[in-house]
Amino acid sequence: QLTPSSFLRIGQLSNVDLNEDIHELETEVPRQRPNEIPHNEKLLSLKYESLDYDSSENQLFLEEERRINHAAFRTVEIKRWVICAMIGILTGLVACFIDIVVENLAGLKYRVVKDNIDKFTAKGGLSFSLLLWATLNASVVMVGSVIVAFIEPVAAGSGIPQIKCYLNGVKIPHVVRLKTLVIKVCGVILSVVGGLAVGKEGPMIHSGSVIAAGISQGRSTSLKRDFKIFEYFRRDTEKRDFVSAGAAAGVSAAFGAPVGGVLFSLEEGASFWNQFLTWRIFFASMISTFTLNSVLSVYHGNAWDLSSPGLINFGRFDNEKMGYTIQEIPIFIFMGVVGGILGALFNALNYWLTMFRIRYIHRPCLQVVEAMLVAAVTATVGFVMIYCSRDCQPIQGSSVAYPLQLFCADGEYNSMATAFFNTPEKSVVNLFHDPPGSYNPMTLGMFTLMYFFLACWTYGLTVSAGVFIPSLLIGAAWGRLFGISLSYLTKGSIWADPGKYALMGAAAQLGGIVRMTLSLTVIMMEATGNVTYGFPIMLVLMTAKIVGDYFVEGLYDMHIQLQSVPFLHWEAPVTSHSLTAREVMSTPVTCLRRIERVGTVVDILSDTSSNHNGFPVVESNPDTTQVAGLRGLILRSQLIVLLKHKVFVERANLNLVQRRLKLKDFRDAYPRFPPIQSIHVSQDERECMIDLSEFMNPSPYTVPQEASLPRVFKLFRALGLRHLVVVDNRNEVVGMVTRKDLARYRLGKEGLEELSLAQT
Amino acid sequence: MAPLRCLGWVLMPALALALLGLAAAAGPRRTPALELAEELAEELWSAGLPGDLPELEPECRSLLAAFAEGSAALTDCLGRRARPVRLCQGCHGHYRRLLAQYGSIARAVGNSSESHNCAKSILTSDRLQIVVTLSEFFNETWEAANCANCLKNNSEGLSNSTEEFLDLFNKSLTCFEHNLQGQTVYLSPNNHTEVCKNCNETYTKLNDLYNHLQRMNRQGGESGHSAHLCIDVEDAMNITRKLWSRTFNCSVPCSDTVPVIAVSSFILFLPIVFYLSSFLHSKQKKRILILPKRIQSNASLVNIQEKYS
């Protein structure tokens, strides 16, 4: 069952100059595709639009740019630096807030449960402790999940895929709103306190981005406050630069890794960089980690110490035992292989789970119930593991935050409890730094196994939470196990600290799951504070990525695909040279004339079946002998502002004192332009004419029909375009290439494959 | 003891070289090397070169002697009280005296015109600086044992809480002994119900007091630094706990495995029910396909795939 309009459009092709055989093919192939299909990975959603990274160079813009003199440009430059400093400070403060609240709430929870367990160990009735723990977890997670599922679903997950898409040029609805930030921060706190196998580091990146997007605009649409500052930056191009600074500041606050943050932005997002931007982003990152550091130092009572640069500190790795020798490098590479395989397994399992969730668990209530169940099961698994473990270790000072005695002798604690009965960050640090012999191999093995499945199950729930820390934790556990068995196998001849292997295992596992390379190496290096680890960590991450990529792709890319986002990779698919612009483009194109009737514009904009955002403007020629050549390109948002301000030719003639529309009017409406339905156009006004020549972009990028797909792709990707007009040799509009037209070609297992568009 | 002995070895030749009169006080163990060094020093001394080898002032010499005696006494005390650990209780007097002696050397009470002469010649005039090393060693040991924690603020005597704890500790030990009379500890490992029953009260009190002390300590102290109680208290508690739960096997927690298994399997069962029911009852989300407006979308792809596969 096809929509009638699409048939009509195909019928209209006759006015386009085409070859005969294409026509035949078109009519021959009967299109008997099902209208409704279950969700799968080979779809592109119509929900996502592009961002306008190419600024519209219309007359208004040129006039404004001409008015700004040299000194004014310098002010703009200073403003950029000020904004970056503010991004850094605010991101650092948000990170502090999250850290302090999580520490206190989680401390409270663990104390309550510990007291309860201690009480019932003596008297019997530990099942009540289990129930208490599970209920506490489930109820905290319930709150966290409810706010995400019902108020702002885009705050779910780590937010890294979303930010990656945003920097790639895809407009994800609501992704950089203040509301999202609030939900994200509360959601992260609640899910970490709720004891899920999650971390608070990934969401910091999203939080930083939202902060950046908010500050750089100098106003909040959600709060309806406009501070009348930074108006120059109210467009997608400028905002994107600040968002990449925010993402970098987020990484930097999360791991205490300013350089890693900059490289993260570069690796994950950056399509469009220059050196000054890098320097500014680095500044924002540094400010962010410094703010976090100083505030946390004051909070911990040693004000001038500056000892906590990130949300997670891996601790010092600089004593002699932690050094590595050249003989150990093959061992590290082997660990990289293991990490790659385990990471691929993680991703594959998570893929199936996410697919199931998208298909069947799409109602918010079900999502909340699922999150609660996961929380309860996490607590139960932890409890059962602790209950069954007979691995007792003597208490040494206060190295263990919440020592659970349970069935151990007095003065000893259950070593499984240090891993499960703790926030994941602390468990990671314990695995890195506890002296050899603190864990027996059985404990570590069981822990790795259980935590692997829990973390895999947890990622993709409707809670805001990251996957960095769980991956590190899994990796640290098996890495430590590996270190212990290594020294056992070699009869202790390798005097290696298991902590070192725990670190390498953590790097391998994280690399195997997220497949980041450069930035992750630097992040790990900065988090350990040891530059000499750079080389083995790099090797481990490289191996993990190579091995992992052999099986499945990285977790973030996988989730981007499952969300049907039209994501453009660095290059066009390698086998796509035979495709030309003519085959790629959408056609026919809805064009507007340079002087167009208002009624037509309104009708085109209100047509729900073709929700276009850019319209080529052609010469308005009443004379049919002349060809309607391309004159410019106008965006839906611009048209809406024009209609709202009623910039009609007749009105201009009638009323000369009417204010000329300025670029500011367009900026004030950004980024939430009102829908066309909200603009009232009377019957009389429909007959008026509208002159687009002043507002359209007179020099849109065009390609001829014969351009190959890689060429089109390169142009599109490098310039961050949203619309690319395809013209014939008479400068007549033949088609339009948009992001979805390019993103639908993908290199699959059997060569080039094409994704279908779908309404989601 | 190992570090002490090492220090002793380092110390002896140096002392012998610098001040032959005191060599006898350094210890009873004499080696040929030591004798040799002593002879050498004597030779040098008899050569009489006052400019190169300035004589130690008598005040300084007596200070040094006092320090040497003090450190010997402290070493002796530490060694004797190593097991069971009674360092802080037994040696705090020695330690305090030694501190004072070191202080008076450092403050250089000499009546010569150069008033810092004594401090300079004893503490800093050679590479080894053995007096400083020794004093540092004692300080570090004292710090590591965290003895300050169970002494009064002016470090004269044990603090009240420590006294209380040690009283209780002795009481429980007496209780153990009393109840174990007639049977050997190792004879019947599971047959100590008598002890467990009779001493439970004292033991619980002791345990509670220890936990209380620990909590107080953690609250009062800065993070990390003084997380430990002093070694005497810790060791005493460790011994008691080991006796109690390992040797007497008194702390047998109730293990209620059946309810725990029941509750946990119930909770673990819930997700299965949830996923099955949502799989069976929830309507699968369908996507509505939109046909793209394109010249030839199927045909071109077929072409490509033929070409490349």
Side-chain angles (χ1 to χ4, degrees), chain B residues 269-308:
Chain B
F269 190 61
L270 283 178
I272 301 171
V273 174
F274 171 77
Y275 282 117
L276 266 183
S277 69
S278 54
F279 179 69
L280 295 175
H281 298 298
S282 182
K283 198 170 149 284
Q284 188 178 3
K285 197 161 207 171
K286 298 284 189 189
R287 305 295 189 198
I288 304 157
L289 280 184
I290 309 286
L291 284 178
K293 306 183 292 177
R294 244 173 281 281
I295 295 176
Q296 35 144 215
S297 55
N298 270 352
S300 68
L301 192 71
V302 170
N303 282 345
I304 291 162
Q305 282 184 342
E306 275 169 7
K307 257 182 242 170
Y308 285 92

Side-chain angles (χ1 to χ4, degrees), chain A residues 39 41 161 164 343-355 358 456 459 513-515 552-565 569 746:
Chain A
H39 182 91
E41 56 165 349
K164 225 176 142 170
L345 182 67
F346 186 99
N347 291 3
L349 286 176
N350 195 262
Y351 174 86
W352 291 112
L353 194 60
T354 311
M355 192 64 100
I358 292 175
C456 188
Y459 191 75
I513 290 175
V514 302
R515 309 284 162 75
V552 284
E553 56 197 330
L555 189 66
Y556 296 141
D557 291 323
M558 201 179 81
H559 273 258
I560 288 173
Q561 242 176 55
L562 283 172
Q563 296 297 316
S564 318
V565 179
H569 291 274
R746 210 180 54 197

Side-chain angles (χ1 to χ4, degrees), chain A residues 22-225:
Chain A
I22 295 173
H23 250 293
E24 279 176 18
L25 266 173
E26 183 64 32
T27 43
E28 266 177 24
V29 179
R31 300 259 194 111
Q32 289 300 325
R33 279 206 243 170
N35 198 5
E36 282 200 338
I37 57 157
H39 182 91
N40 61 45
E41 56 165 349
K42 292 175 184 173
L43 289 178
L44 287 183
S45 171
L46 285 188
K47 186 169 65 176
Y48 303 109
E49 293 170 6
S50 275
L51 293 162
D52 289 303
Y53 285 167
D54 179 42
S55 55
S56 170
E57 239 184 20
N58 53 18
Q59 280 185 31
L60 299 182
F61 178 78
L62 290 177
E63 273 168 32
E64 195 193 73
E65 292 288 306
R66 258 178 235 127
R67 256 203 315 279
I68 298 178
N69 54 10
H70 187 66
F73 268 120
R74 191 160 288 173
T75 326
V76 167
E77 192 60 28
I78 291 170
K79 274 184 192 162
R80 287 206 177 102
W81 284 93
V82 172
I83 292 174
C84 279
M86 285 163 71
I87 291 169
I89 292 171
L90 274 181
T91 309
L93 289 180
V94 166
C96 287
F97 174 75
I98 293 177
D99 193 51
I100 291 170
V101 173
V102 165
E103 197 180 308
N104 286 319
L105 287 184
L108 184 70
K109 186 189 91 176
Y110 285 123
R111 269 197 301 278
V112 168
V113 176
K114 179 181 146 53
D115 288 349
N116 192 281
I117 289 179
D118 287 348
K119 199 171 84 189
F120 283 119
T121 314
K123 288 193 297 186
L126 276 172
S127 48
F128 292 107
S129 313
L130 166 60
L131 273 180
L132 175 78
W133 192 4
T135 323
L136 266 181
N137 272 9
S139 45
V140 172
V141 169
M142 184 184 79
V143 181
S145 180
V146 161
I147 57 172
V148 172
F150 287 97
I151 302 179
E152 195 57 274
V154 82
S158 74
I160 295 176
Q162 282 90 334
I163 294 305
K164 225 176 142 170
C165 291
Y166 185 91
L167 293 177
N168 189 265
V170 185
K171 183 179 191 173
I172 312 266
H174 298 193
V175 76
V176 287
R177 290 212 185 156
L178 182 66
K179 193 167 83 176
T180 314
L181 175 67
V182 174
I183 300 297
K184 191 109 208 171
V185 169
C186 299
V188 165
I189 291 171
L190 290 169
S191 46
V192 175
V193 171
L196 289 176
V198 297
K200 53 191 174 351
E201 277 67 15
M204 264 324 293
I205 294 156
H206 192 171
S207 306
S209 308
V210 181
I211 290 169
I215 291 179
S216 63
Q217 303 302 297
R219 68 170 170 194
S220 161
T221 330
S222 307
L223 298 180
K224 301 203 170 44
R225 287 287 295 276

Side-chain angles (χ1 to χ4, degrees), chain A residues 481-590:
Chain A
L481 182 63
F482 187 84
I484 293 173
S485 41
L486 203 65
S487 63
Y488 182 74
L489 280 179
T490 55
K491 308 264 182 327
S493 67
I494 290 187
W495 283 95
D497 194 89
K500 182 171 61 186
Y501 290 98
L503 177 71
M504 291 303 156
Q509 183 68 54
L510 186 55
I513 290 175
V514 302
R515 309 284 162 75
M516 283 153 55
T517 48
L518 170 64
S519 52
L520 194 56
T521 311
V522 177
I523 287 173
M524 297 289 285
M525 217 162 80
E526 284 183 287
T528 51
N530 190 330
V531 182
T532 51
Y533 276 165
F535 183 64
I537 288 177
M538 182 191 75
L539 286 179
V540 160
L541 287 175
M542 263 168 120
T543 329
K545 184 174 163 61
I546 291 169
V547 173
D549 280 344
Y550 183 75
F551 299 105
V552 284
E553 56 197 330
L555 189 66
Y556 296 141
D557 291 323
M558 201 179 81
H559 273 258
I560 288 173
Q561 242 176 55
L562 283 172
Q563 296 297 316
S564 318
V565 179
F567 189 86
L568 292 185
H569 291 274
W570 292 105
E571 300 277 342
V574 281
T575 58
S576 61
H577 269 280
S578 58
L579 286 170
T580 61
R582 192 173 52 200
E583 290 150 314
V584 172
M585 69 191 184
S586 302
T587 190
V589 183
T590 322

